[in-house]
């Protein structure tokens, strides 16, 4: 997989016998990281209201098939809303950086409208001559495509209060007049405020409901005949409850989710010679009959920075840390890839 189609090396992989590829498609032209502004897309399918543009989808898939006609393709779909929707639905959004807003992961309007877009996109995949080459979908959303809250702070804002109150009432509790204070969470190891404890549960359980919702939409669109799953459940590494990734227990028995995905552990900056552990409770996931799909998003000596790959894609030069660099030699790169493969084989992922 590459975010930047113009940087693909599909031919070399095809010549070595690789047949599984991914293409990255977004419903809208939005950054995948609200902190860095990283924008890997040349465009989104639904950028113009009322006029879907599938040309980038066709181009991405055709690039793979031109070098590997018998490829199995596994699209990663970024479920996000275009700017025109953000402007029309301010109460369904949360503030992020630099005055920007993004769709709330709690929003029923977001779930409804994005579901229609996602269904239309999958129907397009199904209608094309290369439909048989598609074997499943990875449904991504939120910041970094990993279903983190866009503000990485529980989507905490006044617009969320009606959704939080609905959650409280369903649990037999009284609605609130205002949002519970976050200062206790930020300054105390023990949270005494019951309303705040409930908000932390809400901030995770509701995101899990959103993941389930879109996976169900995708599963229905493929007539339940293809694999569907999502990034989620980084319990072993992302410990902040306000990221929203701590309700995996709500999803383990879902009939709409075939796999859960996470990257390799970032601990130790992914140095060679040490284990790259799992972010997810992998054994538990497998005991529930689900697959673990570990994204080996390591770089090689051939990898370039985002801005070197596509000018302006990383406006704040965020991806300059050593963890974003691969081994500096071809030999080291080969060993890193071999290590990644061996880890997954021996772990049963």
């Amino acid at each position: 997989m590459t975010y930047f189609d113009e940087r693909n090396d599909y031919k070399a992989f095809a010549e070595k016998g690789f047949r599984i590829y991914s293409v990255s498609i977004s419903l809208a032209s939005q950054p995948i990281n609200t902190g860095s502004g990283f924008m890997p897309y040349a465009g989104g399918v639904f950028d113009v209201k009322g006029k879907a543009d599938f040309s980038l989808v066709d181009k991405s898939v055709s690039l793979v098939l031109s070098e590997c006609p018998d490829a199995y393709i596994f699209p990663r779909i970024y479920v996000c809303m275009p700017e025109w929707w953000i402007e029309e639905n301010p109460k369904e959004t949360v503030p992020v950086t630099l005055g920007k807003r993004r769709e709330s992961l709690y929003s029923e309007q977001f779930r409804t409208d994005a579901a229609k877009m996602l269904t239309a996109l999958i129907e397009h995949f199904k209608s094309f001559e290369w439909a048989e080459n598609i074997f499943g979908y990875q449904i991504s959303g939120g910041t970094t495509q990993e279903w983190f809250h866009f503000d990485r702070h529980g989507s905490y804002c006044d617009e969320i209060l009606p959704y939080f109150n609905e959650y409280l009432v369903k649990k037999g509790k009284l609605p609130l007049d205002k949002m519970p204070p976050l200062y206790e969470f930020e300054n105390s190891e023990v949270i005494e405020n019951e309303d705040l404890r409930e908000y932390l549960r809400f901030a995770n359980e509701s995101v899990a409901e959103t993941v389930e919702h879109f996976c169900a939409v995708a599963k229905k669109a493929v007539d339940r005949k293809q694999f569907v799953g999502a990034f989620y459940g980084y319990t072993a590494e992302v410990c902040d409850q306000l990221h929203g990734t701590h309700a995996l227990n709500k999803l383990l028995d879902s009939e709409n989710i075939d796999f859960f995905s996470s990257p390799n552990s970032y601990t130790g900056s992914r140095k060679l010679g040490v284990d790259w552990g799992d972010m997810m409770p992998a054994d538990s996931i497998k005991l529930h009959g689900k697959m673990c799909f570990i994204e080996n998003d390591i770089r090689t000596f051939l990898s370039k920075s985002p801005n070197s790959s596509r000018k302006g894609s990383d406006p704040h030069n965020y991806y300059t840390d050593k963890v974003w660099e691969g081994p500096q030699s071809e030999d080291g790169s080969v060993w890193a890839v071999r290590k990644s493969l061996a880890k997954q084989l021996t772990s049963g992922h």
Side-chain angles (χ1 to χ4, degrees):
M1 174 184 167
T2 174
Y3 277 124
F4 306 114
D5 286 339
E6 64 270 30
R7 288 274 295 147
N8 83 79
D9 205 359
Y10 299 140
K11 182 178 181 180
F13 279 95
E15 288 174 348
K16 293 294 184 182
F18 285 83
R19 294 180 66 196
I20 297 179
Y21 300 82
S22 182
V23 292
S24 187
I25 306 296
S26 183
L27 299 188
S29 296
Q30 293 283 16
I32 66 170
N33 188 324
T34 49
S36 70
F38 178 46
M39 170 64 175
Y41 299 108
V45 176
F46 299 96
D47 284 342
V48 178
K49 185 177 180 179
K51 187 179 180 181
D53 180 3
F54 297 107
S55 61
L56 288 173
V57 180
D58 302 344
K59 180 182 177 181
S60 293
V61 174
S62 296
L63 275 173
V64 176
L65 295 179
S66 66
E67 303 295 351
C68 187
D70 59 349
Y72 293 107
I73 300 176
F74 182 58
R76 177 189 296 180
I77 309 300
Y78 188 34
V79 178
C80 63
M81 302 310 285
E83 281 301 318
W84 59 261
W85 188 94
I86 301 293
E87 293 172 3
E88 290 181 1
N89 298 276
K91 291 186 178 180
E92 307 299 320
T93 65
V94 298
V96 286
T97 56
L98 302 175
K100 296 285 188 179
R101 300 185 75 91
R102 293 293 296 272
E103 63 273 10
S104 164
L105 300 184
Y106 306 134
S107 168
E108 285 296 336
Q109 194 66 49
F110 161 54
R111 293 175 184 175
T112 299
D113 294 346
K116 295 175 183 177
M117 296 177 180
L118 177 59
T119 299
L121 176 56
I122 293 177
E123 289 299 327
H124 178 76
F125 274 105
K126 290 168 62 178
S127 69
F128 248 63
E129 58 195 43
W130 31 253
E132 292 300 316
N133 294 88
I134 309 298
F135 74 91
Y137 296 89
Q138 184 173 15
I139 307 302
S140 66
T143 202
T144 63
Q145 298 189 307
E146 295 167 292
W147 293 111
F148 297 153
H149 285 286
F150 280 111
D151 61 352
R152 297 186 189 240
H153 214 59
S155 295
Y156 184 91
C157 63
D158 290 338
E159 289 84 354
I160 301 307
L161 184 58
Y163 286 108
F164 181 40
N165 277 336
E166 183 180 347
Y167 172 85
L168 291 173
V169 170
K170 284 182 179 178
K171 296 185 72 173
K173 298 178 180 290
L174 294 175
L176 303 179
D177 295 327
K178 60 181 181 179
M179 295 286 284
L182 273 185
Y183 69 85
E184 185 178 323
F185 174 80
E186 296 165 341
N187 297 289
S188 176
E189 292 184 3
V190 179
I191 299 171
E192 301 290 349
N193 187 311
E194 177 58 25
D195 292 335
L196 182 54
R197 290 204 297 268
E198 286 289 5
Y199 190 80
L200 294 177
R201 297 184 188 105
F202 165 73
N204 290 271
E205 293 176 12
S206 297
V207 173
E209 290 174 4
T210 298
V211 173
E212 159 72 18
H213 171 77
F214 287 117
C215 286
V217 168
K219 203 70 173 172
K220 180 180 179 181
V222 300
D223 303 317
R224 310 198 69 80
K225 295 178 180 178
Q226 294 174 314
F227 289 114
V228 171
F231 290 113
Y232 195 77
Y234 299 7
T235 306
E237 189 148 328
V238 179
C239 300
D240 188 338
Q241 298 99 309
L242 291 175
H243 274 65
T245 189
H246 294 284
L248 184 63
N249 59 307
K250 298 288 185 180
L251 298 175
L252 284 173
D253 294 319
S254 170
E255 62 182 13
N256 299 306
I257 300 175
D258 299 305
F259 69 86
F260 293 98
S261 182
S262 80
N264 286 317
S265 171
Y266 283 85
T267 302
S269 298
R270 295 177 176 170
K271 297 175 182 176
L272 292 175
V274 296
D275 185 27
W276 297 339
D278 296 320
M279 289 186 175
M280 307 181 294
D283 288 348
S284 180
I285 289 171
K286 287 185 284 188
L287 285 170
H288 283 262
K290 308 297 184 187
M291 291 182 288
C292 292
F293 168 29
I294 308 302
E295 181 194 49
N296 290 309
D297 61 337
I298 57 172
R299 281 68 178 167
T300 72
F301 77 109
L302 293 174
S303 301
K304 293 183 177 181
S305 68
N307 277 331
S308 297
S309 299
R310 183 184 294 161
K311 189 175 180 180
S313 61
D314 185 15
H316 304 295
N317 287 311
Y318 179 85
Y319 293 95
T320 56
D321 189 270
K322 288 294 183 182
V323 76
W324 306 115
E325 294 182 4
Q328 298 303 299
S329 69
E330 180 174 1
D331 189 54
S333 299
V334 168
W335 278 107
V337 173
R338 182 177 299 210
K339 168 190 170 69
S340 296
L341 176 61
K343 169 72 176 181
Q344 307 324 316
L345 289 173
T346 56
S347 300
H349 297 342

